[in-house]
Coordinates of all heavy atoms in Angstrom, one line a residue:
H17 N -1.1 -20.9 6.9 CA -0.2 -21.3 5.9 C 1.2 -21.2 6.5 O 1.5 -20.3 7.3 CB -0.3 -20.5 4.6 CG -1.6 -20.7 3.9 ND1 -1.8 -21.8 3.0 CD2 -2.8 -20.0 3.9 CE1 -3.1 -21.7 2.6 NE2 -3.6 -20.6 3.1
H18 N 2.1 -22.0 6.0 CA 3.6 -22.0 6.4 C 4.4 -22.1 5.2 O 4.2 -22.9 4.2 CB 3.8 -23.2 7.4 CG 5.2 -23.2 7.9 ND1 5.6 -22.4 8.8 CD2 6.3 -24.0 7.4 CE1 7.0 -22.7 9.0 NE2 7.3 -23.6 8.2
Q19 N 5.5 -21.3 5.2 CA 6.4 -21.4 4.1 C 7.8 -21.3 4.7 O 8.2 -20.5 5.5 CB 6.2 -20.2 3.2 CG 7.2 -20.0 2.1 CD 7.1 -21.1 1.1 OE1 6.0 -21.5 0.7 NE2 8.2 -21.5 0.6
H20 N 8.6 -22.4 4.3 CA 10.0 -22.3 4.7 C 10.7 -21.2 3.8 O 10.5 -21.1 2.6 CB 10.7 -23.7 4.4 CG 10.2 -24.7 5.3 ND1 10.6 -24.8 6.6 CD2 9.3 -25.7 5.2 CE1 9.9 -25.8 7.3 NE2 9.2 -26.4 6.3
A21 N 11.6 -20.5 4.5 CA 12.4 -19.5 3.8 C 13.8 -20.1 3.5 O 14.3 -20.8 4.3 CB 12.5 -18.2 4.6
A22 N 14.4 -19.7 2.3 CA 15.7 -20.1 2.1 C 16.7 -19.4 3.0 O 16.5 -18.2 3.2 CB 16.0 -19.8 0.6
P23 N 17.7 -20.1 3.4 CA 18.7 -19.4 4.3 C 19.5 -18.3 3.5 O 19.8 -18.6 2.4 CB 19.6 -20.5 4.8 CG 19.3 -21.7 3.9 CD 18.0 -21.5 3.2
V24 N 19.7 -17.2 4.1 CA 20.4 -16.1 3.5 C 21.4 -15.5 4.5 O 21.3 -15.7 5.7 CB 19.5 -15.0 3.0 CG1 18.6 -15.5 1.9 CG2 18.7 -14.4 4.0
V25 N 22.4 -14.9 4.0 CA 23.2 -14.2 4.9 C 22.8 -12.7 5.0 O 22.7 -12.0 4.0 CB 24.7 -14.1 4.3 CG1 25.7 -13.3 5.2 CG2 25.2 -15.6 4.2
P26 N 22.3 -12.3 6.1 CA 21.7 -10.9 6.2 C 22.8 -9.9 6.0 O 23.8 -9.9 6.6 CB 21.1 -10.9 7.7 CG 21.7 -12.0 8.4 CD 22.2 -13.0 7.4
V27 N 22.5 -8.8 5.2 CA 23.4 -7.8 5.0 C 22.7 -6.5 5.4 O 23.3 -5.6 5.9 CB 23.8 -7.8 3.4 CG1 24.5 -6.5 3.1 CG2 24.5 -9.0 3.1
D28 N 21.4 -6.3 5.0 CA 20.7 -5.1 5.2 C 19.2 -5.5 5.5 O 18.5 -5.8 4.6 CB 20.8 -4.1 4.0 CG 20.0 -2.9 4.2 OD1 19.5 -2.6 5.3 OD2 19.8 -2.1 3.2
T29 N 18.8 -5.4 6.7 CA 17.4 -5.8 7.1 C 16.4 -4.7 7.0 O 15.2 -4.9 7.3 CB 17.4 -6.5 8.4 OG1 17.8 -5.6 9.4 CG2 18.2 -7.8 8.5
L30 N 16.9 -3.5 6.8 CA 15.9 -2.3 6.7 C 14.9 -2.5 5.7 O 15.3 -2.7 4.5 CB 16.8 -1.0 6.5 CG 15.9 0.3 6.5 CD1 15.4 0.6 7.9 CD2 16.8 1.4 6.1
G31 N 13.7 -2.5 6.0 CA 12.6 -2.6 5.0 C 12.2 -4.0 4.8 O 11.4 -4.2 3.9
A32 N 12.8 -5.0 5.4 CA 12.5 -6.4 5.1 C 11.0 -6.7 5.3 O 10.4 -7.4 4.5 CB 13.4 -7.3 5.9
G33 N 10.4 -6.2 6.4 CA 9.0 -6.5 6.7 C 8.1 -5.8 5.6 O 7.1 -6.4 5.2
D34 N 8.4 -4.6 5.3 CA 7.7 -4.0 4.3 C 7.8 -4.6 3.0 O 6.8 -4.6 2.2 CB 8.1 -2.4 4.2 CG 7.8 -1.7 5.5 OD1 6.8 -1.9 6.2 OD2 8.5 -0.6 5.7
T35 N 9.0 -5.0 2.6 CA 9.2 -5.8 1.4 C 8.3 -7.0 1.3 O 7.7 -7.4 0.4 CB 10.7 -6.1 1.2 OG1 11.4 -4.9 1.2 CG2 10.9 -6.9 -0.1
F36 N 8.3 -7.7 2.5 CA 7.5 -9.0 2.5 C 6.0 -8.7 2.4 O 5.3 -9.4 1.6 CB 7.7 -9.7 3.9 CG 7.0 -10.9 4.1 CD1 7.5 -12.1 3.7 CD2 5.7 -10.9 4.6 CE1 6.8 -13.3 3.8 CE2 5.0 -12.1 4.8 CZ 5.5 -13.3 4.4
I37 N 5.4 -7.7 3.0 CA 4.1 -7.4 2.9 C 3.8 -6.9 1.5 O 2.8 -7.3 0.9 CB 3.8 -6.2 3.9 CG1 3.9 -6.8 5.4 CG2 2.3 -5.7 3.7 CD1 3.0 -8.0 5.7
G38 N 4.6 -6.0 0.9 CA 4.4 -5.5 -0.4 C 4.5 -6.6 -1.4 O 3.6 -6.6 -2.3
A39 N 5.4 -7.6 -1.3 CA 5.4 -8.7 -2.2 C 4.2 -9.6 -2.1 O 3.7 -10.1 -3.1 CB 6.7 -9.5 -2.0
S40 N 3.7 -9.7 -0.8 CA 2.5 -10.5 -0.6 C 1.3 -9.9 -1.3 O 0.5 -10.5 -2.1 CB 2.1 -10.6 0.9 OG 3.2 -11.3 1.5
I41 N 1.1 -8.6 -1.1 CA 0.0 -7.9 -1.8 C 0.2 -7.9 -3.4 O -0.8 -8.1 -4.1 CB 0.0 -6.4 -1.3 CG1 -0.4 -6.4 0.2 CG2 -1.0 -5.6 -2.1 CD1 -0.3 -5.1 0.9
F42 N 1.4 -7.7 -3.8 CA 1.7 -7.8 -5.2 C 1.2 -9.1 -5.8 O 0.5 -9.2 -6.8 CB 3.1 -7.6 -5.5 CG 3.7 -7.9 -6.9 CD1 3.4 -6.9 -7.9 CD2 4.3 -8.9 -7.2 CE1 3.9 -7.2 -9.2 CE2 4.8 -9.3 -8.4 CZ 4.6 -8.4 -9.5
A43 N 1.6 -10.2 -5.2 CA 1.3 -11.5 -5.7 C -0.3 -11.8 -5.6 O -0.8 -12.3 -6.6 CB 2.0 -12.6 -4.9
L44 N -0.9 -11.4 -4.5 CA -2.3 -11.6 -4.4 C -3.1 -10.8 -5.4 O -4.1 -11.2 -6.0 CB -2.8 -11.3 -3.0 CG -2.3 -12.2 -1.9 CD1 -2.6 -11.6 -0.5 CD2 -3.0 -13.5 -2.0
A45 N -2.6 -9.6 -5.7 CA -3.3 -8.7 -6.7 C -3.2 -9.2 -8.1 O -4.1 -8.9 -8.9 CB -2.7 -7.3 -6.6
L46 N -2.2 -10.0 -8.3 CA -2.0 -10.6 -9.6 C -2.6 -12.0 -9.7 O -2.4 -12.7 -10.8 CB -0.6 -10.6 -10.1 CG 0.0 -9.2 -10.2 CD1 1.5 -9.3 -10.7 CD2 -0.7 -8.4 -11.4
G47 N -3.3 -12.4 -8.7 CA -4.0 -13.7 -8.8 C -3.4 -14.9 -8.1 O -3.9 -16.0 -8.1
A48 N -2.4 -14.6 -7.3 CA -1.8 -15.8 -6.5 C -2.8 -16.2 -5.5 O -3.5 -15.4 -4.9 CB -0.5 -15.3 -5.9
N49 N -2.6 -17.4 -5.0 CA -3.5 -17.9 -3.8 C -2.5 -17.6 -2.6 O -1.4 -17.1 -2.8 CB -3.9 -19.3 -3.9 CG -2.7 -20.3 -4.0 OD1 -1.6 -20.1 -3.4 ND2 -2.9 -21.4 -4.8
A50 N -3.0 -17.9 -1.4 CA -2.3 -17.5 -0.2 C -0.9 -18.2 -0.1 O 0.1 -17.6 0.2 CB -3.1 -17.9 1.0
S51 N -0.8 -19.5 -0.5 CA 0.5 -20.3 -0.5 C 1.5 -19.7 -1.5 O 2.7 -19.5 -1.2 CB 0.2 -21.7 -0.8 OG -0.5 -22.2 0.3
Q52 N 1.0 -19.4 -2.7 CA 1.9 -18.8 -3.7 C 2.3 -17.4 -3.3 O 3.5 -17.1 -3.5 CB 1.1 -18.7 -5.0 CG 0.8 -20.0 -5.6 CD -0.3 -19.9 -6.7 OE1 -1.0 -19.0 -6.9 NE2 -0.3 -21.0 -7.5
A53 N 1.4 -16.6 -2.8 CA 1.9 -15.2 -2.3 C 2.9 -15.3 -1.2 O 3.8 -14.6 -1.1 CB 0.6 -14.5 -1.8
L54 N 2.7 -16.3 -0.3 CA 3.7 -16.5 0.8 C 5.0 -16.9 0.3 O 6.1 -16.3 0.6 CB 3.1 -17.5 1.8 CG 3.9 -17.7 3.1 CD1 4.0 -16.4 3.8 CD2 3.1 -18.8 3.9
A55 N 5.0 -17.8 -0.7 CA 6.3 -18.2 -1.3 C 7.0 -17.1 -2.1 O 8.2 -16.9 -1.9 CB 6.1 -19.4 -2.3
C56 N 6.2 -16.3 -2.8 CA 6.7 -15.1 -3.5 C 7.3 -14.1 -2.5 O 8.4 -13.6 -2.7 CB 5.7 -14.5 -4.3 SG 6.2 -13.0 -5.3
A57 N 6.6 -13.8 -1.4 CA 7.0 -12.8 -0.4 C 8.4 -13.3 0.3 O 9.2 -12.5 0.5 CB 6.0 -12.6 0.6
C58 N 8.4 -14.6 0.6 CA 9.6 -15.1 1.2 C 10.8 -15.0 0.3 O 11.9 -14.6 0.8 CB 9.4 -16.5 1.7 SG 8.4 -16.8 3.1
A59 N 10.6 -15.2 -0.9 CA 11.7 -15.2 -1.9 C 12.2 -13.7 -2.1 O 13.4 -13.4 -2.1 CB 11.3 -15.7 -3.2
I60 N 11.3 -12.8 -2.2 CA 11.7 -11.4 -2.4 C 12.3 -10.8 -1.2 O 13.2 -10.1 -1.2 CB 10.5 -10.6 -2.9 CG1 10.1 -11.1 -4.3 CG2 10.8 -9.1 -3.0 CD1 8.8 -10.6 -4.8
A61 N 11.6 -11.1 0.0 CA 12.2 -10.5 1.2 C 13.5 -11.1 1.6 O 14.4 -10.4 2.1 CB 11.2 -10.7 2.4
G62 N 13.7 -12.4 1.2 CA 15.0 -13.0 1.4 C 16.1 -12.4 0.6 O 17.2 -12.2 1.0
Q63 N 15.7 -12.0 -0.7 CA 16.7 -11.3 -1.5 C 16.9 -9.9 -0.9 O 18.1 -9.5 -0.9 CB 16.2 -11.2 -2.9 CG 17.0 -10.3 -3.9 CD 18.4 -11.0 -4.1 OE1 18.5 -12.2 -4.1 NE2 19.4 -10.2 -4.1
K64 N 16.0 -9.3 -0.4 CA 16.1 -7.9 0.1 C 17.1 -7.9 1.3 O 18.0 -7.1 1.3 CB 14.8 -7.4 0.6 CG 14.8 -6.2 1.6 CD 15.6 -5.1 1.0 CE 16.0 -4.1 2.1 NZ 17.4 -4.0 2.3
V65 N 17.0 -8.8 2.2 CA 17.9 -8.9 3.4 C 19.3 -9.3 3.0 O 20.2 -9.0 3.7 CB 17.4 -9.7 4.5 CG1 16.1 -9.2 5.1 CG2 17.4 -11.1 4.2
S66 N 19.5 -9.9 1.8 CA 20.8 -10.3 1.4 C 21.6 -9.3 0.5 O 22.6 -9.5 0.1 CB 20.8 -11.6 0.7 OG 20.1 -11.4 -0.6
Q67 N 21.0 -8.1 0.4 CA 21.6 -7.1 -0.3 C 21.4 -5.7 0.3 O 20.5 -5.5 1.1 CB 21.1 -7.0 -1.8 CG 19.7 -6.6 -1.8 CD 19.0 -6.5 -3.2 OE1 19.3 -7.4 -4.1 NE2 18.4 -5.5 -3.6
V68 N 22.1 -4.7 -0.1 CA 21.9 -3.4 0.4 C 20.9 -2.7 -0.5 O 21.2 -2.7 -1.8 CB 23.2 -2.6 0.5 CG1 23.0 -1.1 0.9 CG2 24.2 -3.2 1.5
G69 N 19.8 -2.1 0.0 CA 19.0 -1.4 -0.9 C 17.8 -2.3 -1.4 O 17.7 -3.4 -1.0
F70 N 17.1 -1.7 -2.4 CA 15.9 -2.4 -2.9 C 16.0 -2.6 -4.4 O 15.1 -3.3 -4.9 CB 14.7 -1.5 -2.7 CG 14.5 -1.3 -1.2 CD1 14.9 -0.2 -0.5 CD2 13.7 -2.2 -0.4 CE1 14.7 0.0 0.8 CE2 13.5 -2.1 0.9 CZ 14.0 -0.9 1.5
S71 N 17.0 -2.2 -5.1 CA 17.1 -2.4 -6.5 C 17.1 -3.8 -7.0 O 17.9 -4.6 -6.3 CB 18.2 -1.5 -7.2 OG 19.5 -2.0 -6.7
G72 N 16.6 -4.2 -8.0 CA 16.7 -5.6 -8.6 C 15.8 -6.6 -7.9 O 16.0 -7.8 -8.2
L73 N 15.0 -6.3 -7.0 CA 14.1 -7.2 -6.3 C 13.2 -8.0 -7.2 O 12.8 -9.1 -6.9 CB 13.4 -6.6 -5.2 CG 14.2 -6.2 -4.0 CD1 13.4 -5.5 -2.9 CD2 15.2 -7.2 -3.4
A74 N 12.9 -7.4 -8.3 CA 11.9 -8.1 -9.3 C 12.5 -9.4 -9.8 O 11.8 -10.4 -10.0 CB 11.5 -7.3 -10.4
E75 N 13.9 -9.4 -9.8 CA 14.6 -10.7 -10.2 C 14.4 -11.8 -9.3 O 14.5 -13.0 -9.6 CB 16.0 -10.4 -10.4 CG 16.4 -9.3 -11.4 CD 15.8 -9.5 -12.7 OE1 15.8 -10.6 -13.3 OE2 15.2 -8.6 -13.3
A76 N 14.0 -11.5 -8.0 CA 13.7 -12.6 -7.0 C 12.3 -13.2 -7.1 O 12.1 -14.1 -6.4 CB 13.9 -12.0 -5.6
I77 N 11.4 -12.6 -7.9 CA 10.0 -13.2 -8.1 C 10.3 -14.7 -8.7 O 10.8 -14.9 -9.7 CB 9.2 -12.4 -9.0 CG1 9.0 -11.0 -8.5 CG2 7.8 -13.1 -9.3 CD1 8.3 -10.1 -9.4
P78 N 9.8 -15.7 -7.9 CA 9.9 -17.0 -8.4 C 9.3 -17.2 -9.8 O 8.1 -16.9 -10.0 CB 9.1 -17.9 -7.3 CG 9.1 -17.0 -6.2 CD 9.1 -15.6 -6.6
S79 N 10.0 -17.8 -10.6 CA 9.5 -18.0 -12.1 C 8.5 -19.1 -12.2 O 7.8 -19.1 -13.2 CB 10.6 -18.3 -13.0 OG 11.4 -19.5 -12.6
D80 N 8.3 -19.9 -11.1 CA 7.3 -21.0 -11.2 C 6.0 -20.6 -10.7 O 5.1 -21.4 -10.5 CB 7.9 -22.1 -10.5 CG 8.0 -21.9 -9.0 OD1 8.1 -20.7 -8.5 OD2 8.2 -23.0 -8.3
M81 N 5.7 -19.3 -10.4 CA 4.4 -18.8 -10.0 C 3.4 -18.9 -11.1 O 3.6 -18.2 -12.2 CB 4.5 -17.4 -9.5 CG 5.4 -17.3 -8.2 SD 4.5 -17.9 -6.8 CE 5.7 -19.2 -6.3
P82 N 2.4 -19.6 -11.0 CA 1.4 -19.8 -12.1 C 0.8 -18.5 -12.6 O 0.5 -18.4 -13.8 CB 0.3 -20.7 -11.5 CG 0.9 -21.3 -10.3 CD 2.0 -20.5 -9.9
W83 N 0.6 -17.6 -11.7 CA 0.0 -16.3 -12.1 C 1.0 -15.4 -12.9 O 0.7 -14.4 -13.4 CB -0.4 -15.5 -10.9 CG 0.5 -15.5 -9.7 CD1 0.6 -16.5 -8.7 CD2 1.6 -14.6 -9.5 NE1 1.7 -16.1 -7.9 CE2 2.2 -15.0 -8.3 CE3 1.9 -13.4 -10.1 CZ2 3.3 -14.2 -7.8 CZ3 3.1 -12.7 -9.6 CH2 3.7 -13.1 -8.5
L84 N 2.2 -15.9 -13.1 CA 3.2 -15.2 -14.0 C 3.3 -16.0 -15.3 O 4.4 -16.1 -15.9 CB 4.6 -15.1 -13.3 CG 4.8 -14.2 -12.2 CD1 6.1 -14.2 -11.6 CD2 4.4 -12.7 -12.7
G85 N 2.2 -16.4 -15.8 CA 2.2 -17.2 -17.0 C 2.8 -16.3 -18.2 O 2.9 -15.2 -18.1
A86 N 3.1 -17.0 -19.3 CA 3.6 -16.3 -20.4 C 2.7 -15.4 -21.1 O 3.1 -14.5 -21.9 CB 4.1 -17.4 -21.4
H87 N 1.4 -15.4 -20.8 CA 0.4 -14.6 -21.4 C -0.4 -13.9 -20.3 O -0.6 -14.5 -19.2 CB -0.4 -15.4 -22.5 CG 0.4 -16.1 -23.4 ND1 1.1 -15.4 -24.4 CD2 0.7 -17.4 -23.5 CE1 1.8 -16.3 -25.1 NE2 1.6 -17.6 -24.6
G88 N -1.1 -12.9 -20.7 CA -2.1 -12.3 -19.8 C -1.6 -11.1 -19.0 O -0.4 -10.8 -19.0
P89 N -2.5 -10.4 -18.3 CA -2.2 -9.2 -17.6 C -1.2 -9.3 -16.5 O -0.4 -8.4 -16.2 CB -3.5 -8.7 -17.1 CG -4.4 -9.8 -17.2 CD -3.9 -10.8 -18.3
A90 N -1.2 -10.5 -15.9 CA -0.2 -10.7 -14.7 C 1.2 -10.7 -15.2 O 2.1 -9.9 -14.7 CB -0.5 -12.0 -14.0
H91 N 1.5 -11.2 -16.4 CA 2.8 -11.3 -17.0 C 3.2 -9.8 -17.4 O 4.2 -9.4 -17.2 CB 2.9 -12.2 -18.1 CG 4.2 -12.2 -18.8 ND1 5.4 -12.8 -18.2 CD2 4.5 -11.8 -20.0 CE1 6.4 -12.6 -19.0 NE2 5.9 -11.9 -20.2
E92 N 2.3 -9.2 -18.1 CA 2.6 -7.9 -18.6 C 2.8 -6.9 -17.4 O 3.7 -6.0 -17.6 CB 1.4 -7.4 -19.4 CG 1.2 -8.2 -20.7 CD -0.1 -7.9 -21.4 OE1 -0.8 -6.9 -21.0 OE2 -0.4 -8.6 -22.4
E93 N 2.0 -7.0 -16.4 CA 2.3 -6.1 -15.2 C 3.6 -6.4 -14.6 O 4.3 -5.4 -14.2 CB 1.2 -6.4 -14.2 CG 1.3 -5.6 -12.9 CD 0.9 -4.2 -13.0 OE1 0.3 -3.8 -14.1 OE2 1.2 -3.4 -12.1
C94 N 4.0 -7.6 -14.5 CA 5.3 -7.9 -13.9 C 6.5 -7.4 -14.8 O 7.4 -6.8 -14.3 CB 5.5 -9.5 -13.7 SG 7.0 -9.9 -12.9
V95 N 6.4 -7.6 -16.1 CA 7.3 -7.1 -17.0 C 7.5 -5.6 -16.9 O 8.6 -5.1 -16.8 CB 7.0 -7.5 -18.4 CG1 7.9 -6.8 -19.5 CG2 7.2 -9.1 -18.6
E96 N 6.3 -4.9 -16.8 CA 6.3 -3.5 -16.7 C 6.9 -3.0 -15.5 O 7.8 -2.1 -15.4 CB 4.9 -3.0 -16.8 CG 4.8 -1.4 -16.7 CD 3.3 -0.9 -16.8 OE1 2.5 -1.5 -17.4 OE2 3.1 0.1 -16.1
L97 N 6.7 -3.7 -14.3 CA 7.3 -3.3 -13.1 C 8.8 -3.6 -13.1 O 9.6 -2.7 -12.6 CB 6.7 -4.1 -11.9 CG 5.3 -3.8 -11.5 CD1 4.7 -4.8 -10.5 CD2 5.2 -2.3 -10.9
K98 N 9.2 -4.6 -13.8 CA 10.7 -4.9 -13.9 C 11.3 -3.8 -14.7 O 12.4 -3.3 -14.4 CB 10.9 -6.3 -14.5 CG 10.7 -7.4 -13.6 CD 11.0 -8.7 -14.3 CE 10.8 -9.9 -13.4 NZ 11.3 -11.1 -13.9
Q99 N 10.7 -3.4 -15.8 CA 11.3 -2.4 -16.7 C 11.4 -1.1 -16.0 O 12.3 -0.3 -16.1 CB 10.4 -2.3 -18.0 CG 10.6 -3.4 -18.9 CD 9.6 -3.4 -20.1 OE1 8.6 -2.6 -20.0 NE2 9.9 -4.2 -21.0
Q100 N 10.4 -0.8 -15.2 CA 10.4 0.5 -14.4 C 11.2 0.5 -13.2 O 11.4 1.5 -12.5 CB 9.0 0.9 -14.1 CG 8.1 1.2 -15.3 CD 6.7 1.5 -14.9 OE1 6.3 1.7 -13.7 NE2 5.8 1.6 -15.9
R101 N 11.6 -0.7 -12.8 CA 12.5 -1.0 -11.6 C 11.7 -0.5 -10.3 O 12.3 0.0 -9.4 CB 13.8 -0.3 -11.7 CG 14.7 -0.7 -12.8 CD 15.6 -1.8 -12.3 NE 16.5 -2.2 -13.3 CZ 16.8 -3.4 -13.6 NH1 16.2 -4.4 -12.9 NH2 17.7 -3.7 -14.5
L102 N 10.4 -0.7 -10.4 CA 9.6 -0.3 -9.3 C 9.5 -1.4 -8.2 O 9.1 -1.2 -7.1 CB 8.1 0.0 -9.7 CG 8.0 1.2 -10.6 CD1 6.5 1.3 -11.0 CD2 8.4 2.5 -9.9
F103 N 10.0 -2.6 -8.7 CA 9.9 -3.7 -7.6 C 11.3 -4.4 -7.6 O 11.9 -4.6 -8.5 CB 8.9 -4.7 -8.0 CG 8.4 -5.5 -6.9 CD1 7.1 -5.8 -6.8 CD2 9.2 -6.0 -5.9 CE1 6.6 -6.6 -5.7 CE2 8.8 -6.7 -4.9 CZ 7.4 -7.1 -4.8

């Protein structure tokens, strides 16, 4: 699979790879296919490198991911993670 990443201005690259891998696993665990997981990981890792630290990365989860539907456990899990600021 191949995914184009959005261009960003790098500010802090510490943890970018770990963020990418974590976001991939997060998406796959919630039902994303490989292409969707890759798109999600690129978006979140892109946000990570464009800011200092890790806070607020849940806001970078693409809203068009089908596994983040308005109903069901995937949506509830994402909302819970956002509220706890774990992602």
Side-chain angles (χ1 to χ4, degrees):
H17 295 276
H18 178 78
Q19 174 68 41
H20 291 284
V24 297
V25 176
V27 174
D28 177 13
T29 61
L30 182 67
D34 293 333
T35 300
F36 181 89
I37 296 299
S40 298
I41 293 168
F42 169 77
L44 290 168
L46 292 179
N49 64 34
S51 294
Q52 294 165 340
L54 189 55
C56 181
C58 284
I60 295 172
Q63 177 62 38
K64 165 53 200 117
V65 300
S66 67
Q67 69 180 42
V68 175
F70 299 92
S71 63
L73 292 180
E75 302 305 318
I77 297 171
S79 60
D80 63 345
M81 294 286 116
W83 46 270
L84 285 179
H87 306 288
H91 176 72
E92 292 169 12
E93 178 75 12
C94 186
V95 169
E96 182 180 329
L97 290 171
K98 284 183 178 184
Q99 289 172 346
Q100 294 176 9
R101 298 266 187 226
L102 295 179
F103 203 140

